[in-house]
Amino acid sequence: MDYKEKIKERIEGHCLITFGKKSKYCSNKEKYIAVVKSLMEDIVPKWNDSLNKYDGKKKAYYFSAEFLMGRALSNNLINMNWQSDIRDILKEYKIDYNNIEESEDDAGLGNGGLGRLAACFLDSAATLNYPLMGYGLRYEYGIFKQKFADGFQIEGPDNWLEFGDSWSIRKSMDKVVVSFADGDVLAVPYDTPVIGYGGNTINTLRLWKSEAINSFNLEEFNRQNYDLSVKDKNDAENISKVLYPNDSKEEGKILRLKQQYFFVSASLQDLVKKHLEKYDSLENFHQLHGIQLNDTHPTVAIPELMRILTEEYKMDWDKSWDIVVKTFAYTNHTILQEALEQWPVRLYKVILPNVYRKIEEINSKLIDELEEKAIVDDIRDYKIIDDNNIKMAYLAIYGTHSINGVAQVHSDILTERELNNWYKLYPERFNNKTNGITQRRWLLKSNPELSEFITELLGTDNWITELDELKKLEKYKDDRDVLERFLDIKQEKKNQLAEYIKEHEGIEIDPYSIFDIQIKRLHEYKRQLLNALQILDLYYRIKENPNLDIVNKTFILGGKAAPGYERAKGIIKYINEIKDLINNDKDINGKIKMVFVTNYGVSYGEKLFSAADISEQISTAGKEASGTGNMKFMLNGTPTIGTLDGANIEIVEEAGENNNFIFGLQVEDIERIKNTYDPKKYYENVDGLKRVVDTLVDGTFSDGGTGIFKELYNSILKGANWHSPDQYYLMKDFDSYRKAQERVNEAYIDRSAWAKKCWTNMANAGKFSSDRTIEQYAKEIWDIENC
Ligand SMILES: *Cc1c(COP(=O)(O)O)cnc(C)c1O
């Protein structure tokens, strides 16, 4: 029987035994599940083989509170080389593959860039045959589903497990007990295969679900205390219930602390147990395990491993500390003060007293060391426990052998400024690992049209695993036929996006207009508000001068605001108000249009990045550690309009400043002006600026009586008790941003010059493959080999 027949038979079989009917009576969702189960029949045996091949070698482990995986089906079909067979079979059934693909819910177990980075790293490591395993939490509800009501963001639950998750396997035999001072819970692992391109290596993402040790109390039930009979079950399961539960109150803070310790403790137990099955002590633990802490969320792993070594295995303190430091490495993702994690000592003492004792010991060791080195003045800049708070970043630095930033400028800011004291103490620990993205998802999967063209020109598809190959395409940058075809492909992607937006947002956009796209989490430092002000200014200028000669432009924005972040939610409302004004104004005659896409996530992103003409990366210089959205646009041949911040700097280094649109303050400029900056000066004097800023307070728009627009206005002109006026320099950068937008419009008119810019960006995107990043982690931090 040929292979295709075999797959067909499996799909029929799964439809029958899972849904009780033939495939022709199954819904798309049901067919999707049957396809996944059929595929898993091939994946699982290969997966098991793959796990054995690293036996006895050092492996790396990525501890992360977030894994933003998105959909798996297309990726896995491509990587297992099943895609054309499945498409053929579905065609025979008269089923459109796209409907099956769209039936899969995104695995949205993360917020944004940090969680997506973890997903790209897993893909790259598996493709490069590196032993890297992900450890995290199996949230029952991922990042909330975003909707709008009257322009306001509404958050709904993301019930991604409603139909189960056929990609993961519950490994009940590997469950462990996690202990808190107020009781024990079970941690049950669910394993998901991470298939490398070509299917040679299949690694594992292991996510822990919390369960009660006794999930049902029959005595209470029979006493007719029904709530009490399931109280343990509910309490235990709450730990892995949702990603980033609201922690504005004490109960929420406790829950978050429990989440962190829960997955870290379970993962370390898992590793220690497996290690001791093969070796008779833990003295060589660091020779076989390298653990990367993705930001500070898993930092409790440091005192927890100390506790295991010194108390459970009675190992000497200094020897244990040596093992701990050699095992762990830490990635810093932000310098924003409010994002630096601290925990009140009180909570640790109540929930994790044994771990807290270890933190105290570590802190006094540190103080001894500082005294030895005669560092006595600025000791507060080091102390892990200070003012009744535990500073997780300091713990992460002291307890690891490697601390990396995520783009060169970010790493420089850490060593020269934010962590300079630590850098002076341990210069050898600090390094840079500029982020990357996987080209398998962000080009091959999301833009098959451009992918085919690239392969055709190169005469090989080896760029799929060696992205530097794209550099060979640079020679076509003046080839008219090549650029023509590039523009045709871009147009096709824009048509597809326009179609999707019409269907999902109910807005018709002109597919021949410039697609100007800003998609990312809503945050003041990312300056979506600056974009909004610039769009509104353009609108007023068109109103004043209806003959203003511009290429039609569609501004597409998208992103979620954290539920408790009122200003970010206010900015969404403001953008939606501007959108309604512009889209309903007949005078504008289609010159500009606006869309705020609903529920931006990985899958929506795949459609947006590939269809963009211009990439908005306009954060305040020094605030965006790296950014990875910027790289996804670049890889799809999209120039950046942006500041010299994060990886934008390296993008421009690779692709040339003349092929991008750089504007605004730089890091050093801000250092120079920050003490004397007066936004009013710009607000009052820059042509048109007052007019747009005042719409926050002059009744042009309604904030539904919430007062949030006035709050935004004050944040710019008055400041607040925690920050100075306009702390993100919108007023100062407005004019140079507007000029950069004008440069975009002029450049776009010359179609071949424009195509050349796009092409040059794409051809120089090789550096930004997460394959390059993972090679660096493997060689320079983890010291692991590939098979
Ligand atoms: C890449 C990505 C991000 C990160 O975007 P930035 O612009 O770097 O902040 C966030 N969310 C999703 C869904 C992504 O795919």
Side-chain angles (χ1 to χ4, degrees):
M1 184 168 56
D2 84 343
Y3 196 61
K4 218 148 76 181
E5 286 303 313
K6 197 167 101 189
I7 300 175
K8 260 166 94 168
E9 202 163 89
R10 284 189 197 164
I11 294 175
E12 280 308 325
H14 286 294
C15 286
L16 267 182
I17 61 170
T18 309
F19 303 110
K21 52 197 171 185
K22 289 188 172 163
S23 68
K24 66 177 171 184
Y25 303 115
C26 283
S27 68
N28 284 334
K29 186 89 190 185
E30 289 168 335
K31 287 191 199 105
Y32 154 76
I33 291 170
V35 168
V36 174
K37 291 188 174 205
S38 308
L39 191 53
M40 284 293 271
E41 287 188 48
D42 262 15
I43 292 171
V44 177
K46 281 198 168 197
W47 189 9
N48 290 337
D49 290 345
S50 185
L51 295 179
N52 294 329
K53 73 183 182 190
Y54 306 122
D55 257 4
K57 289 196 167 175
K58 184 175 183 187
K59 299 184 196 121
Y61 302 89
Y62 204 73
F63 280 23
S64 179
E66 302 184 27
F67 287 93
L68 195 53
M69 303 296 282
R71 291 183 177 133
L73 180 62
S74 294
N75 222 249
N76 288 346
L77 288 175
I78 292 171
N79 291 358
M80 295 292 287
N81 203 14
W82 269 40
Q83 203 179 36
S84 62
D85 286 335
I86 288 287
R87 280 179 191 268
D88 290 352
I89 293 166
L90 293 177
K91 215 174 278 163
E92 284 175 33
Y93 287 165
K94 298 197 170 46
I95 303 165
D96 185 6
Y97 173 76
N98 287 340
N99 291 332
I100 301 293
E101 181 182 25
E102 295 273 332
S103 299
E104 180 174 6
D105 286 304
D106 268 40
L109 308 184
N111 251 322
L114 174 154
R116 184 54 228 175
L117 184 75
C120 285
F121 280 0
L122 293 183
D123 180 90
S124 284
T127 296
L128 299 174
N129 306 303
Y130 276 113
L132 176 71
M133 179 168 172
Y135 271 116
L137 279 150
R138 189 174 196 259
Y139 304 105
E140 194 176 328
Y141 294 91
I143 182 75
F144 66 85
K145 271 217 163 81
Q146 181 191 52
K147 283 190 182 153
F148 302 109
D150 188 29
F152 287 106
Q153 170 176 292
I154 306 290
E155 298 109 30
D158 164 40
N159 193 6
W160 72 291
L161 291 173
E162 186 179 354
F163 299 91
D165 168 31
S166 303
W167 295 114
S168 61
I169 298 180
R170 180 182 168 101
K171 294 282 175 75
S172 295
M173 303 304 285
D174 286 351
K175 70 184 174 218
V176 295
V177 175
V178 174
S179 297
F180 299 96
D182 61 354
D184 295 350
V185 298
L186 283 179
V188 185
Y190 284 72
D191 287 357
T192 303
V194 180
I195 304 169
Y197 183 75
N200 291 324
T201 291
I202 304 183
N203 284 334
T204 303
L205 170 60
R206 172 162 277 198
L207 301 178
W208 299 96
K209 176 176 189 285
S210 60
E211 293 185 2
I213 293 179
N214 297 305
S215 59
F216 180 59
N217 186 327
L218 182 62
E219 281 174 31
E220 290 294 356
F221 195 85
N222 282 333
R223 275 188 219 118
Q224 296 163 70
N225 295 328
Y226 304 122
D227 285 351
L228 271 183
S229 74
V230 290
K231 182 172 186 313
D232 282 1
K233 174 178 160 72
N234 290 335
D235 287 351
E237 291 182 4
N238 276 344
I239 293 175
S240 60
K241 185 70 75 180
V242 289
L243 171 75
Y244 295 137
N246 184 347
D247 65 350
S248 58
K249 299 199 196 116
E250 185 91 342
E251 287 302 308
K253 288 196 177 69
I254 290 174
L255 190 57
R256 281 210 194 184
L257 179 57
K258 285 191 166 182
Q259 288 190 327
Q260 295 186 349
Y261 182 71
F262 170 77
F263 94 85
V264 160
S265 162
S267 307
L268 287 176
Q269 287 186 59
D270 201 34
L271 296 178
V272 165
K273 193 166 65 181
K274 276 188 246 160
H275 184 87
L276 291 176
E277 280 166 12
K278 290 194 69 173
Y279 305 92
D280 47 14
S281 95
L282 290 170
E283 289 189 10
N284 60 344
F285 187 80
H286 60 286
Q287 288 164 0
L288 291 149
H289 300 88
I291 301 177
Q292 194 69 32
L293 304 175
N294 193 26
D295 212 321
T296 51
H297 318 121
T299 302
V300 67
I302 292 168
E304 172 63 6
L305 185 57
M306 271 313 274
R307 191 193 60 77
I308 293 172
L309 295 174
T310 56
E311 305 207 342
E312 292 185 11
Y313 294 92
K314 308 289 176 210
M315 209 183 272
D316 164 77
W317 212 98
D318 288 338
K319 187 179 236 173
S320 302
W321 186 243
D322 185 56
I323 292 172
V324 165
V325 172
K326 284 178 175 157
T327 300
F328 290 110
Y330 157 57
T331 304
N332 176 290
H333 285 272
T334 182
I335 58 156
L336 296 183
Q337 277 305 321
E338 66 270 25
L340 288 181
E341 216 186 349
Q342 303 196 18
W343 283 100
V345 164
R346 165 177 49 82
L347 287 186
Y348 258 81
K349 275 187 173 162
V350 175
I351 307 296
L352 302 169
N354 301 333
V355 179
Y356 180 67
R357 221 169 300 124
K358 290 293 134 190
I359 298 177
E360 281 185 320
E361 289 170 18
I362 293 168
N363 190 45
S364 36
K365 274 272 174 194
L366 165 65
I367 291 170
D368 291 349
E369 190 175 327
L370 292 174
E371 277 167 11
E372 230 167 81
K373 293 185 176 162
I375 299 173
V376 280
D377 298 336
D378 49 359
I379 201 159
R380 274 202 71 183
D381 296 339
Y382 295 93
K383 278 170 75 178
I384 293 166
I385 303 171
D386 187 39
D387 206 13
N388 283 313
N389 278 307
I390 307 169
K391 298 191 168 166
M392 302 312 274
Y394 291 177
L395 180 56
I397 296 167
Y398 189 51
T400 62
H401 67 280
S402 165
I403 298 118
N404 73 284
V406 289
Q408 193 58 53
V409 66
H410 168 60
S411 297
D412 291 345
I413 290 173
L414 292 181
T415 55
E416 288 162 20
R417 222 173 61 205
E418 300 298 315
L419 301 173
N420 181 256
N421 53 323
W422 282 102
Y423 174 65
K424 283 189 277 189
L425 192 60
Y426 300 123
E428 72 287 351
R429 290 189 184 182
F430 285 80
N431 64 91
N432 172 249
K433 298 285 169 280
T434 299
N435 282 166
I437 55 166
T438 166
Q439 67 266 34
R440 269 79 59 188
R441 181 169 296 257
W442 299 110
L443 184 56
L444 181 63
K445 195 231 138 215
S446 62
N447 197 344
E449 298 84 354
L450 183 55
S451 297
E452 271 172 40
F453 187 40
I454 290 171
T455 299
E456 182 190 316
L457 287 176
L458 290 174
T460 150
D461 64 3
N462 62 0
W463 61 272
I464 296 171
T465 52
E466 292 161 51
L467 198 61
D468 283 329
E469 290 291 305
L470 294 185
K471 187 80 185 169
K472 294 183 182 155
L473 296 173
E474 201 166 15
K475 66 173 186 233
Y476 297 109
K477 68 175 191 275
D478 294 307
D479 184 319
R480 289 183 72 97
D481 293 340
V482 166
L483 296 184
E484 243 354 277
R485 280 214 24 216
F486 170 78
L487 289 176
D488 287 347
I489 289 167
K490 184 61 87 179
Q491 192 56 54
E492 193 176 340
K493 301 310 285 181
K494 289 169 71 175
N495 295 346
Q496 291 168 6
L497 178 62
E499 194 60 36
Y500 191 84
I501 284 179
K502 186 168 148 196
E503 194 177 316
H504 289 82
E505 315 297 342
I507 300 177
E508 276 199 56
I509 58 178
D510 171 8
Y512 298 100
S513 62
I514 299 175
F515 283 13
D516 173 309
I517 306 189
Q518 185 178 27
I519 39 172
K520 47 186 74 246
R521 290 299 299 243
L522 254 293
H523 205 292
E524 288 165 276
Y525 85 81
K526 290 177 184 279
R527 301 203 293 191
Q528 284 94 349
L529 184 54
L530 178 61
N531 191 359
L533 293 173
Q534 171 268 140
I535 297 168
L536 188 59
D537 173 69
L538 178 60
Y539 168 77
Y540 285 137
R541 285 192 289 131
I542 296 171
K543 291 291 276 187
E544 278 175 351
N545 177 7
N547 300 322
L548 195 71
D549 188 22
I550 59 160
V551 184
N552 289 357
K553 210 162 184 182
T554 303
F555 295 99
I556 302 171
L557 294 96
K560 296 177 186 179
Y565 190 174
E566 291 303 331
R567 282 188 186 170
K569 294 170 99 169
I571 293 169
I572 291 182
K573 169 66 176 168
Y574 184 58
I575 291 169
N576 279 327
E577 287 286 302
I578 298 173
K579 179 196 80 181
D580 286 344
L581 174 72
I582 291 176
N583 292 358
N584 294 322
D585 188 337
K586 300 270 181 312
D587 296 351
I588 291 302
N589 202 11
K591 278 202 164 73
I592 52 176
K593 204 130 196 198
M594 264 178 101
V595 183
F596 196 100
V597 301
T598 312
N599 200 40
Y600 167 60
V602 172
S603 292
Y604 216 139
E606 289 169 21
K607 299 175 204 306
L608 289 157
F609 289 113
S610 54
D613 291 310
I614 192 85
S615 156
E616 294 274 352
Q617 307 300 335
I618 61 175
S619 53
T620 310
K623 297 294 179 190
E624 187 74 88
S626 164
T628 48
N630 46 5
M631 302 169 186
K632 299 166 197 166
F633 284 113
M634 181 196 199
L635 183 59
N636 284 275
T638 306
T640 296
I641 182 169
T643 47
L644 285 178
D645 195 18
N648 298 352
I649 295 173
E650 290 163 69
I651 285 176
V652 169
E653 266 168 27
E654 296 295 306
E657 188 149 348
N658 56 331
N659 294 309
N660 291 284
F661 301 88
I662 298 302
F663 71 92
L665 291 168
Q666 302 185 22
V667 174
E668 311 81 66
D669 300 328
I670 291 178
E671 280 302 299
R672 210 173 46 241
I673 69 166
K674 68 180 181 192
N675 295 321
T676 56
Y677 177 55
D678 177 13
K680 280 227 177 64
K681 206 171 91 191
Y682 302 94
Y683 163 79
E684 276 157 9
N685 297 317
V686 173
D687 181 38
L689 184 51
K690 184 169 188 303
R691 173 170 67 182
V692 289
V693 174
D694 283 355
T695 63
L696 285 164
V697 289
D698 67 8
T700 307
F701 300 118
S702 163
D703 65 4
T706 58
I708 192 64
F709 288 178
K710 174 89 197 201
E711 159 75 11
L712 290 172
Y713 178 87
N714 286 342
S715 76
I716 295 172
L717 293 167
K718 296 207 167 90
N721 58 15
W722 72 94
H723 71 79
S724 54
D726 195 20
Q727 60 175 333
Y728 297 112
Y729 302 92
L730 280 70
M731 299 299 100
K732 170 75 183 145
D733 273 348
F734 178 84
D735 197 46
S736 68
Y737 180 39
R738 181 167 58 187
K739 291 198 173 97
Q741 287 287 5
E742 276 160 16
R743 297 205 307 269
V744 170
N745 297 344
E746 281 157 25
Y748 192 83
I749 295 170
D750 184 343
R751 297 307 286 146
S752 58
W754 180 263
K756 182 173 168 178
K757 286 187 199 301
C758 298
W759 190 259
T760 310
N761 271 284
M762 188 262 286
N764 287 288
K767 174 175 178 183
F768 303 104
S769 170
S770 46
D771 296 350
R772 185 266 311 151
T773 319
I774 276 294
E775 285 284 5
Q776 290 180 321
Y777 275 86
K779 293 203 170 77
E780 297 163 23
I781 301 179
W782 303 329
D783 192 23
I784 55 170
E785 282 168 25
N786 54 357
C787 298

